[in-house]
Amino acid sequence: MDAPTIQTKFLKSNNELGLVAVGFSGGQCKPGVDAAPMALIESGLIDQLKDDLEYTVHYDGEVHAYSNLMPTEDPDHRNMKKPRAVSAVTQQLSKQVYEHAKEGRFVLTLGGDHSIAIGTISGTAKAMRERLGRDIAVIWVDAHADINTPETSDSGNIHGMPVAFLTGLASDKPDAPFGWIKEDQRISVKKLVYIGLRDIDRGEKKILRENGIKAFSMHDVDRHGIGKVMDMALGWIGSDTPIHLSFDIDALDPMWAPSTGTAVRGGLTLREGDFIAECVHETGQLIALDLVEVNPSLEEHGAAETVRAGCSIVRCALGDTLL
């Protein structure tokens, strides 16, 4: 591994990285995903970023569980499970990500379940608007669309709703759990691209169609190949927009990443996942990355493999190359 050579367009320097480790699993019902950040760090990820890719890593040395923010009571609200816990964590995380992003650093967030993207993306969206006056684009790599509203969700698990809250398709009254999300923290459906979808709820299909959201399912990857899909995805976003990449490890086929809470067969290969990250890095537009839904407790033999896959995605997004 060598230090990245691509010149970044929207960050203050090529090698300043803010890391937030989020040990939170409250957006879904399977414990264990909160252990992922420590598993990724213990596998040597931070050392690889510092020593091999030559990043200056700003990290407080803590995996944040936010236990001090947990409510004593958290009844369902509009069908959502644990709404106050998820709201408190994502609001605090939004501030943490914003603090790094406003300094012009790349922000890497290790989750945690995918509900944490409410915090990460709202933080980068606000910072980029303030710092450069630009809206951000989001590339959401996932087997699932995570764009249910509280009303369309069957499970009530908030890790299936973050995109709805981030785009304003779902919102809450100011005094309700997610009322803290303001306009300058949201993203446009026109600057949202999905890659790897293959398990989409009926209500979500309707939302995607009605809002003209650009989505590349596994059918598209099979038909065109990942190279063409990336050309189309990046062409849709354009070359003058900062990109936040939110990568759910379940986008990969369980053959490559078995230790995740909602694994779905027929997914991306590890090389396809790495290629997505490499392509986004090569644009010079990438400003933030989330890696979520690694759950080391679910597959005893597959945990190390899944952690390795997660580390590989992160390294590729930060400039690691094969040659």
Side-chain angles (χ1 to χ4, degrees), residues 151-270:
E151 289 70 33
T152 63
S153 169
D154 289 332
S155 69
N157 292 327
I158 299 174
H159 76 158
M161 306 178 199
V163 185
F165 280 107
L166 287 163
T167 54
L169 294 171
S171 57
D172 237 348
K173 294 186 177 121
D175 58 345
F178 292 98
W180 63 266
I181 305 170
K182 304 290 185 287
E183 202 52 46
D184 64 349
Q185 296 170 303
R186 291 200 177 102
I187 59 165
S188 164
V189 290
K190 300 289 176 238
K191 290 288 187 184
L192 168 65
V193 178
Y194 284 103
I195 301 171
L197 296 180
R198 59 189 182 278
D199 183 14
I200 309 161
D201 296 341
R202 183 181 293 177
E204 291 181 304
K205 286 183 182 177
K206 187 166 182 280
I207 290 169
L208 293 175
R209 277 197 304 268
E210 287 179 351
N211 291 279
I213 293 169
K214 184 60 79 176
F216 298 97
S217 69
M218 285 309 300
H219 174 89
D220 299 301
V221 175
D222 293 339
R223 167 173 282 181
H224 301 292
I226 195 64
K228 179 68 174 164
V229 164
M230 287 312 296
D231 288 346
M232 292 189 286
L234 293 169
W236 177 261
I237 289 169
S239 60
D240 60 348
T241 305
I243 296 172
H244 186 127
L245 177 61
S246 200
F247 202 115
D248 188 322
I249 204 71
D250 76 19
L252 302 185
D253 190 88
M255 177 194 291
W256 304 102
S259 290
T260 186
T262 46
V264 188
R265 292 189 304 174
L268 299 165
T269 66
L270 177 56

Side-chain angles (χ1 to χ4, degrees), residues 253-302:
D253 190 88
M255 177 194 291
W256 304 102
S259 290
T260 186
T262 46
V264 188
R265 292 189 304 174
L268 299 165
T269 66
L270 177 56
R271 260 310 301 156
E272 287 170 333
D274 283 349
F275 184 80
I276 292 167
E278 289 164 356
C279 284
V280 181
H281 173 80
E282 283 169 4
T283 64
Q285 297 164 237
L286 186 61
I287 58 162
L289 169 67
D290 314 326
L291 181 75
V292 300
E293 298 284 0
V294 172
N295 189 331
S297 73
L298 286 179
E299 274 271 348
E300 197 180 331
H301 302 298

